[in-house]
Amino acid sequence: YPTVNVIGAGLAGSEAAWQIAEAGVPVRLYEMRPVKQTPAHHTENFAELVCSNSLRANGLTNAVGLLKEEMRRMDSVVIGAADKTAVPAGGALAVDRDTFSQEITSRIKNHPLVMVVNEEITSLPEGITVVATGPLTSEALAEAIQEYNGSEGFYFYDAAAPIIDKSTIDMDKVYLKSRYDKGEAAYLNCPMTEEEFNAFHQALVSAEVAELKAFEKEKYFEGCMPIEVMAGRGIKTMLFGPMKPVGLEDPKTGKRPYAVIQLRQDNAAASLYNIVGFQTHLKWGEQKRVFRMIPGLENAEFVRYGVMHRNSFMNSPELLKATYQSVNREDLFFAGQMTGVEGYVESAASGLVAGRNAARLAKGLAPITLPRETAMGSMAYYITHAEGKHFQPMNANFGLLPELPERIRDKRLRYEALAERALEAQTAYLK
Ligand code: FAD
């Protein structure tokens, strides 16, 4: 079979390369790190997680949990590594970020059909190619893609949450608990009184933010909005978002605090914790001043401050087929965040399908499009059929799946039925 090029060894490119090689087709995997870094990556490992260490919900009553299960059933290297390197996170699948990426790197590098080339690609290669260079695609390649697609890319900033050294947290002020006591107690919770919350809110909305470059428009993923932007939307907004106290009664008093900030384990050793939902664009000195107002964090040491980064994605409804093939060139595939799927798992899932299809093309087989009833198929359908003019990146969600024939009022039962139908449709299709 001809060798397939994969550009970018992130979440999508790693998964694509794995799927192609496992199909018996040789792969040349190009990754520019460590020769050239992105503004958000810190290592040279494949599939590095640039922000949260959580791959979000794991249960089948959540669409991203269903997506993971579909991927497990298709031999996903990313979900396989995540299951193997999981850290406690209640109902979510969170990982030790270093061992997770190391596991993926070594499985791919050791595959006999994979050749890794550490090089920045600056133009679109000839031959079967999967482009998976992510939201931080290097400038030269971004220009080449823009030129090829004949349409404007979109650039905007995204935010990452600060990480704290656990040994500097005042453990007398915080308590260990998962919301509604789901799964094992996994989060450190910092409770706030109404007075503390009001003072904190005031400090947050008046703190100094880092400057944005003039040419970049402010436009955020809804799931990764800077906390100060959320706070600026209204005094109560955070109470319905990352600071919501429901299900987090303080075991010492049995009472529900006015507001709660959650800290999530960030590494297997449990020495680092991140502030859940606190992606931020505040200046570093301001982060220290304002976040030390959080009960328990008065003397916290920040091992990494929150930062803001560029993100770019293409207008897939007009440029991509549901097989992840370019509309203009059948041997050119795009995968990952740059196609408008949003999130680590979604990016990997699109890489899985693009990789399988690239391998099928190399073997002279017709490409696959998973049924719309599946989480994977519904995403591919969404990004290629949404309205091009207002196209926005999208997380996996049950709203993308076709409705059930019968109406089920209970949300949990409805999601269970959707998940069951999805897995049946996947099994039948793959047969
Ligand atoms: P990436 O994982 O970024 O992989 C792209 C790879 O291509 C990189 O390794 C890069 O070095 C390489 N590359 C780039 N250009 C070239 C080139 N020209 N030649 C060769 N190699 C190249 N999603 C979540 O689910 N949770 C989060 O908390 C989250 N936080 C995010 C925070 C930030 C700052 C950003 C930017 C995104 C975040 N996302 C998050 C969104 C998204 O899920 C991740 O960006 C995810 O890594 C996307 O996967 P990908 O494979 O498309 O890109």
Side-chain angles (χ1 to χ4, degrees):
Y1 302 125
T3 298
V4 174
N5 302 308
V6 175
I7 315 179
L11 275 301
S14 297
E15 188 66 62
W18 176 255
Q19 295 290 334
I20 297 164
E22 283 289 283
V25 174
V27 183
R28 206 179 296 112
L29 176 58
Y30 293 96
E31 170 52 55
M32 68 176 186
R33 293 176 291 122
V35 181
K36 185 171 176 170
Q37 277 295 349
T38 81
H41 289 81
H42 296 269
T43 74
E44 55 188 78
N45 288 332
F46 297 169
E48 179 181 333
L49 303 176
V50 290
C51 176
S52 166
N53 67 321
S54 170
L55 273 62
R56 319 207 311 277
N58 209 14
L60 286 180
T61 49
N62 186 295
V64 79
L66 169 63
L67 182 59
K68 290 184 187 75
E69 185 54 30
E70 291 175 12
M71 293 171 73
R72 276 186 197 103
R73 295 176 180 208
M74 293 179 80
D75 179 34
S76 161
V77 70
V78 168
I79 301 302
D83 286 335
K84 194 169 164 186
T85 61
V87 298
L93 178 56
V95 300
D96 177 296
R97 62 177 77 235
D98 290 327
T99 50
F100 167 75
S101 299
Q102 281 156 10
E103 169 76 13
I104 293 172
T105 309
S106 86
R107 285 185 78 183
I108 292 174
K109 278 195 173 163
N110 291 327
H111 199 294
L113 287 177
V114 179
M115 185 176 116
V116 175
V117 185
N118 286 114
E119 184 184 314
E120 180 194 359
I121 296 298
T122 55
S123 60
L124 292 170
E126 304 274 302
I128 307 177
T129 301
V130 180
V131 183
T133 43
L136 306 168
T137 297
S138 75
E139 212 173 306
L141 186 64
E143 275 171 25
I145 295 171
Q146 214 167 54
E147 196 175 315
Y148 166 78
N149 279 328
S151 91
E152 290 286 305
F154 303 105
Y155 296 97
F156 57 94
Y157 268 83
D158 188 22
I163 299 178
I164 293 160
D165 177 347
K166 187 190 178 192
S167 66
T168 63
I169 299 171
D170 183 345
M171 298 305 274
D172 291 337
K173 296 201 174 157
V174 305
Y175 54 93
L176 188 67
K177 190 179 172 79
S178 289
R179 205 179 292 279
Y180 301 117
D181 292 318
K182 248 191 190 172
E184 55 194 301
Y187 293 83
L188 292 177
N189 299 280
C190 311
M192 272 189 188
T193 63
E194 186 171 355
E195 295 68 44
E196 285 167 338
F197 173 81
N198 289 339
F200 180 69
H201 179 268
Q202 184 52 36
L204 199 51
V205 291
S206 56
E208 236 184 302
V209 293
E211 235 169 84
L212 276 181
K213 293 206 183 77
F215 63 90
E216 265 120 351
K217 261 202 330 201
E218 272 192 69
K219 208 172 151 197
Y220 307 107
F221 301 137
E222 279 298 316
C224 220
M225 180 190 292
I227 191 70
E228 65 276 9
V229 172
M230 189 182 289
R233 291 195 169 179
I235 181 137
K236 298 251 170 192
T237 311
M238 290 191 295
L239 293 175
F240 293 100
M243 293 185 69
K244 75 173 173 247
V246 292
L248 290 175
E249 287 66 26
D250 187 338
K252 276 180 241 143
T253 61
K255 293 213 175 91
R256 180 190 292 177
Y258 185 76
V260 175
I261 287 173
Q262 293 200 291
L263 309 177
R264 184 199 291 125
Q265 186 176 332
D266 200 83
N267 60 341
S271 59
L272 301 178
Y273 276 75
N274 57 61
I275 314 182
V276 178
F278 269 59
Q279 309 81 8
T280 179
H281 192 214
L282 295 187
K283 284 189 168 168
W284 289 6
E286 291 287 82
Q287 291 187 34
K288 193 166 174 177
R289 180 177 69 81
V290 177
F291 298 152
R292 280 186 167 184
M293 291 171 76
I294 298 170
L297 301 192
E298 293 82 357
N299 297 304
E301 286 306 326
F302 295 83
V303 298
R304 197 157 104 199
Y305 285 104
V307 282
M308 303 283 296
H309 302 290
R310 199 193 77 193
N311 187 1
S312 51
F313 62 97
M314 52 192 254
N315 191 5
S316 295
E318 286 172 16
L319 302 167
L320 211 62
K321 296 188 207 168
T323 53
Y324 292 95
Q325 281 165 298
S326 164
V327 290
N328 298 316
R329 205 184 117 181
E330 76 158 6
D331 64 352
L332 182 61
F333 295 79
F334 290 94
Q337 184 95 5
M338 63 192 318
T339 65
V341 299
E342 182 185 319
Y344 299 145
V345 183
E346 289 86 342
S347 293
S350 73
L352 189 156
V353 179
R356 289 229 172 175
N357 281 339
R360 292 180 68 85
L361 190 65
K363 291 171 149 181
L365 300 169
I368 58 166
T369 313
L370 286 152
R372 276 193 64 198
E373 286 75 18
T374 62
M376 254 190 263
S378 71
M379 267 180 1
Y381 183 86
Y382 177 81
I383 61 161
T384 51
H385 290 77
E387 204 210 324
K389 247 195 233 157
H390 306 288
F391 182 53
Q392 281 293 315
M394 184 59 91
N395 276 131
N397 67 79
F398 281 123
L400 301 182
L401 272 57
E403 278 180 25
L404 290 163
E406 72 283 12
R407 195 166 152 66
I408 304 177
R409 284 188 185 276
D410 183 276
K411 208 158 81 178
R412 200 183 164 82
L413 293 177
R414 185 164 71 245
Y415 290 166
E416 270 171 14
L418 283 165
E420 194 181 324
R421 183 184 66 175
L423 295 175
E424 277 169 13
Q426 184 194 26
T427 308
Y429 181 79
L430 293 176
K431 250 184 202 160

